[in-house]
Amino acid sequence: MVRHYFLAISLVFFTHCNLDLPIEYYISSSCLENLDEARAIVEGADEWNEKSCAEFFRYIGIVNDDWFTREDLQDGLLVVYCVDDEENSSVNEIIDIDKKSAGYSIADIIIRRKGALNIAGYRYQHIYFHPKDASIPRSYYLKVFKGLATHEFGHQFTPYSHNIDERGYSVMNFALGSQMAAYEPTLLDIWGSREVTGICERYGCPPADTCPTRPTF
């Protein structure tokens, strides 16, 4: 099923009772193969800052580490890795190969390029009704890649987790191929609803009337 195939799972190895904000993060040199992907990651994290008018994430720099290992989960650094399928055995050890997700937010963030491409292809065909054999523009792939990065950064707000279609339009939607999956944080992600608590309710943000970039839907 598409909903399961495009599921982005949050595997929580460490529970943050009290987050030290801003959350500092690094980008792995594995993402420098395509500099536009590295920029999309920074922009994806910045979406949380912009939509909340609070500094939740702070980019520190590049780390010369292009191969994710299980030991990286213990080094105390939040690093974003860009991985190509079947090349990184440590990633394959962690995930269920038959239920690969496009991204993972654990002690580090892992983004699968093929997963991002699959989401882009599905949405391009089934939501925007382009022909099955149509080429996916790089700009659209990067839009999806950035949205995926934003989604995975959102999982750093433990225990903040997935939303579902019935709750409304959300970047933290359970199924990234859904029409209800946003590319950036929405009001549901920032402020929440009766069913879910948004980050501003949980961690505090400036008042809405002082935040012109706060989403209204």
Side-chain angles (χ1 to χ4, degrees):
M1 295 177 63
V2 170
R3 294 178 65 88
H4 289 222
Y5 188 77
F6 292 117
L7 170 63
I9 297 174
S10 172
L11 301 176
V12 182
F13 282 27
F14 304 99
T15 300
H16 303 278
C17 295
N18 293 298
L19 286 176
D20 291 326
L21 298 175
I23 300 172
E24 297 182 341
Y25 72 95
Y26 300 78
I27 294 179
S28 160
S29 52
S30 62
C31 301
L32 298 183
E33 178 181 336
N34 302 301
L35 290 178
D36 51 7
E37 292 178 347
R39 285 193 295 270
I41 290 169
V42 175
E43 292 169 358
D46 283 346
E47 287 288 355
W48 291 104
N49 299 340
E50 178 183 347
K51 299 301 187 297
S52 65
C53 290
E55 189 181 20
F56 282 105
F57 291 103
R58 180 181 295 168
Y59 170 59
I60 302 300
I62 301 292
V63 293
N64 187 24
D65 178 8
D66 59 2
W67 193 266
F68 171 78
T69 68
R70 296 179 71 92
E71 288 71 26
D72 289 323
L73 299 175
Q74 308 291 337
D75 64 8
L77 300 179
L78 171 58
V79 180
V80 183
Y81 293 86
C82 303
V83 302
D84 294 305
D85 274 13
E86 314 309 338
E87 291 188 6
N88 196 319
S89 59
S90 293
V91 175
N92 295 338
E93 290 174 5
I94 290 175
I95 65 177
D96 183 337
I97 298 300
D98 295 328
K99 297 180 180 178
K100 281 183 176 177
S101 297
Y104 303 86
S105 187
I106 40 184
D108 291 312
I109 291 175
I110 302 168
I111 299 177
R112 293 176 50 242
R113 291 186 171 103
K114 185 175 181 180
L117 184 62
N118 285 343
I119 294 172
Y122 179 84
R123 294 182 67 90
Y124 204 61
Q125 178 184 353
H126 295 279
I127 294 180
Y128 299 107
F129 305 108
H130 291 281
K132 184 176 182 180
D133 57 352
S135 297
I136 301 171
R138 181 69 177 177
S139 59
Y140 184 66
Y141 165 79
L142 289 171
K143 182 176 182 177
V144 170
F145 188 95
K146 175 187 170 183
L148 175 59
T150 305
H151 179 104
E152 296 307 328
F153 275 109
H155 282 308
Q156 293 296 312
F157 302 115
T158 306
Y160 186 68
S161 191
H162 289 111
N163 285 323
I164 57 178
D165 284 7
E166 289 73 15
R167 290 176 178 165
Y169 196 50
S170 168
V171 76
M172 298 306 296
N173 192 288
F174 193 71
L176 299 184
S178 167
Q179 293 189 45
M180 299 300 289
Y183 297 100
E184 58 192 41
T186 68
L187 187 63
L188 178 61
D189 302 302
I190 298 299
W191 200 249
S193 68
R194 183 174 60 183
E195 295 83 8
V196 61
T197 300
I199 61 169
C200 284
E201 288 179 290
R202 187 176 299 277
Y203 300 107
C205 296
D209 59 0
T210 66
C211 181
T213 54
R214 184 76 47 83
T216 56
F217 65 92

